[in-house]
């Protein structure tokens, strides 16, 4: 009898594994805590050109969150994109946008996501289609997520990591034009960025301003690779906020950046960057419009 019970248990788990539900990319919502997630071509074929599909996975159990563990990810780099949102629609916070085949991540719902759902959006262009992806679906206990992605808007924080719009796994996109203002949680403090990674293609630029808008003084213009600056707001900035604007052109995209956000007590910074305008001073350091860390821009015509 015991052997028969063991055999039954073995066959149950074996059949569950073998016949796990497959879900191909499609418009709609799926409620599950197991299965395999594929592009529209399934496990054996490529996805199609000109796709624009949004699919949401939600957990079967309240309080749990969806986790997607990728074993394959191969979409046309720079032209086809898969994006993940931390909720039950594309209005939820963006977790990552990925293209190419360089990273195989785990995408999971965060602790602040009360739905536990993950929404996936995939777009392909009119030319090359590749093998797509394969991911195992499971449900987990959600964990905190302090990652922020470059976006339009205002965020108040003193502890997070800021990435480009591609997130920690992907590339940013062509033709981006995003402006994000970061403000401290405590009055009298200022925002401080400590870059741990930067890879921005030539012709794409990250502009950083010492205030709550792009009309504030320019702190830096960042592009290229290798330079990992530390940038903080100044004592003259009564808001303590820092505004970032990122623009990309229509050609090559790259991995972007990662910067830890903290709050600090601002220090005096007599740095002046080439721009249209004027300043009254008897001391300081005068830089081109790229600032202390970046190159000056093409086609500049500035009078200071």
């Amino acid at each position: 009898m015991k052997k028969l019970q063991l055999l039954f248990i073995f066959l149950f788990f074996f059949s569950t594994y073998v016949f796990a539900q497959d879900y191909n990319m499609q418009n709609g919502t799926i409620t599950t805590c197991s299965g395999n997630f594929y592009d529209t071509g399934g496990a054996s074929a490529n996805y199609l050109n000109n796709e624009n599909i949004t699919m949401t996975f939600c957990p079967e159990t309240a309080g749990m969150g969806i986790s997607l563990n990728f074993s394959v990810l191969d979409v046309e780099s720079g032209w086809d994109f898969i994006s993940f949102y931390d909720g039950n629609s594309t209005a939820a916070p963006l977790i990552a946008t990925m293209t190419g085949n360089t990273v195989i991540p785990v995408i999971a719902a965060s602790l602040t996501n009360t739905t536990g759902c993950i929404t996936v959006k995939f777009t392909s262009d009119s030319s090359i289609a590749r093998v797509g992806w394969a991911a195992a679906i499971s449900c987990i206990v959600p964990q905190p997520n302090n990652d922020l992605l470059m976006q339009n808007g205002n965020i108040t924080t003193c502890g997070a990591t800021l990435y480009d719009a591609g997130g920690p796994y992907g590339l940013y996109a062509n033709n981006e034009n995003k402006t994000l203002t970061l403000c401290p949680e405590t009055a009298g403090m200022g925002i401080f960025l400590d870059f741990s990674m930067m890879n921005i293609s030539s012709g794409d630029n990250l502009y950083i301003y010492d205030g709550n808008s792009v009309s504030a003084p320019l702190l830096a213009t960042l592009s290229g690779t290798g330079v990992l600056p530390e940038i903080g707001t100044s004592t003259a900035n009564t808001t303590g906020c820092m505004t970032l604007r990122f623009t990309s052109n229509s050609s090559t995209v790259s991995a972007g950046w990662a910067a830890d956000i903290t709050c600090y007590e601002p220090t005096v910074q007599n740095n002046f960057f080439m721009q249209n305008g004027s300043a009254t001073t008897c001391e300081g350091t005068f830089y081109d419009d790229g600032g202390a860390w970046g190159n000056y821009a093409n086609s500049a015509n500035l009078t200071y």
Side-chain angles (χ1 to χ4, degrees), residues 97 129 290:
T97 296

Side-chain angles (χ1 to χ4, degrees), residues 22-266:
D22 290 345
Y23 300 99
N24 291 355
M25 188 68 186
Q26 57 191 281
N27 288 309
T29 299
I30 300 293
T31 300
T32 186
C33 275
S34 64
N36 302 305
F37 175 39
Y38 298 102
D39 57 275
T40 55
S44 58
N46 294 358
Y47 57 82
L48 302 177
N49 293 323
N50 300 310
E51 291 189 349
N52 187 347
I53 304 172
T54 301
M55 187 174 188
T56 298
F57 290 97
C58 292
E60 293 173 325
T61 306
M64 300 295 283
I66 290 292
S67 176
L68 302 176
N69 189 350
F70 283 78
S71 57
V72 176
L73 177 62
D74 185 2
V75 300
E76 185 188 7
S77 181
W79 298 101
D80 301 342
F81 297 92
I82 181 170
S83 298
F84 303 90
Y85 299 85
D86 193 22
N88 59 3
S89 76
T90 56
L94 181 67
I95 297 173
T97 296
M98 289 179 285
T99 185
N101 62 355
T102 57
V103 178
I104 300 176
V106 175
I107 302 293
S110 73
L111 189 62
T112 57
N113 176 358
T114 56
T115 69
C117 304
I118 292 290
T119 296
V120 185
K121 181 177 181 180
F122 179 67
T123 59
S124 59
D125 68 355
S126 58
S127 60
I128 301 168
R130 301 189 66 85
V131 298
W133 64 86
I137 306 164
S138 62
C139 289
I140 61 166
V141 177
Q143 301 297 314
N145 182 1
N146 292 321
D147 293 346
L148 298 176
L149 273 59
M150 188 64 189
Q151 57 193 278
N152 291 311
N154 298 270
I155 295 176
T156 299
T157 183
C158 278
T161 301
L162 176 66
Y163 297 93
D164 58 277
Y169 312 111
L171 311 181
Y172 60 81
N174 292 319
N175 302 311
E176 287 192 19
N177 188 348
K178 293 182 170 68
T179 301
L180 175 64
T181 297
L182 302 171
C183 291
E185 295 170 330
T186 306
M189 301 295 283
I191 292 292
F192 188 86
L193 294 182
D194 183 1
F195 284 80
S196 58
M197 188 275 286
M198 190 171 71
N199 184 354
I200 300 175
S201 295
S202 177
D204 304 337
N205 294 286
L206 177 63
Y207 304 95
I208 302 178
Y209 300 88
D210 190 25
N212 59 3
S213 74
V214 295
S215 62
L218 183 68
L219 289 174
T221 301
L222 303 179
S223 188
T225 61
V227 178
L228 300 175
E230 299 176 352
I231 302 174
T233 55
S234 71
T235 55
N237 177 0
T238 57
T239 68
C241 302
M242 179 182 290
T243 297
L244 297 86
R245 180 177 177 232
F246 179 68
T247 61
S248 61
N249 58 28
S250 59
S251 58
T252 306
V253 296
S254 294
W257 69 85
D260 291 329
I261 305 169
T262 56
C263 293
Y264 83 126
E265 187 173 348

